[in-house]
Amino acid sequence: LFRSDTAITVPVSNVQDMAAALISNGYIDGGVTYFGHSGLVGDLSGLFLGQDAGFYTNLTSQNVGLLSGANLGPNASLTLRSCHAGYGNPSIAQSLANQLNRGVYASDTGFYFSNNPSGPYSSQAPSSNLPIYMVPEGSMIPFVPNR
């Protein structure tokens, strides 16, 4: 979570944690970035927030309605740094854009780790020297509300 004056790191491991992170940290006028796993849950696109099974573990179009964008400023956006969050119909990126009424940036491809924020991809593991970046294999796609 980013406010214009600070960055806050909030671990989330279920849908309730994600909902609380969006409303319990004050007004967010910068943006929100999710780093984690995502993909398809059956036929549904979702964020894999936790490791347990169950309705509230993964965030999908079926439970995205539990999230609120009430504390998001008008220029705040959400960036999903996770594989395939922009894939599916609807993708979890589009479901979040619609629910939070804010722009969402996601990729419909996978990600890889690199010491360079723009890649290029290498089959060799990045060096252990920091920093290390999550880089999309494709490009980040903007998802706008109500599409």
Side-chain angles (χ1 to χ4, degrees):
L1 306 174
F2 297 98
R3 295 193 305 247
S4 60
D5 60 337
T6 187
I8 302 167
T9 302
V10 180
V12 296
S13 59
N14 57 48
V15 177
Q16 294 91 332
D17 288 350
M18 178 73 101
L22 290 171
I23 62 170
S24 301
N25 292 287
Y27 186 73
I28 302 169
D29 58 359
V32 175
T33 301
Y34 168 79
F35 290 91
H37 295 285
S38 61
L40 293 179
V41 181
D43 292 333
L44 297 173
S45 174
L47 300 183
F48 304 152
L49 305 174
Q51 60 190 19
D52 297 326
F55 183 74
Y56 295 106
T57 298
N58 300 317
L59 182 69
T60 69
S61 59
Q62 291 183 327
N63 56 19
V64 74
L66 298 171
L67 304 184
S68 169
N71 279 6
L72 297 176
N75 297 318
S77 63
L78 178 62
T79 300
L80 304 176
R81 296 242 179 265
S82 61
C83 297
H84 308 289
Y87 180 80
N89 189 18
S91 67
I92 190 60
Q94 187 63 60
S95 296
L96 281 163
N98 295 345
Q99 175 63 27
L100 301 176
N101 199 32
R102 298 295 182 277
V104 174
Y105 296 91
S107 178
D108 59 358
T109 63
F111 277 74
Y112 61 91
F113 293 101
S114 174
N115 293 112
N116 184 326
S118 57
Y121 176 77
S122 170
S123 60
Q124 295 181 338
S127 103
S128 60
N129 296 329
L130 295 178
I132 295 178
Y133 300 92
M134 282 183 69
V135 181
E137 292 173 349
S139 57
M140 296 296 280
I141 303 165
F143 292 84
V144 297
N146 302 314
R147 277 220 173 149

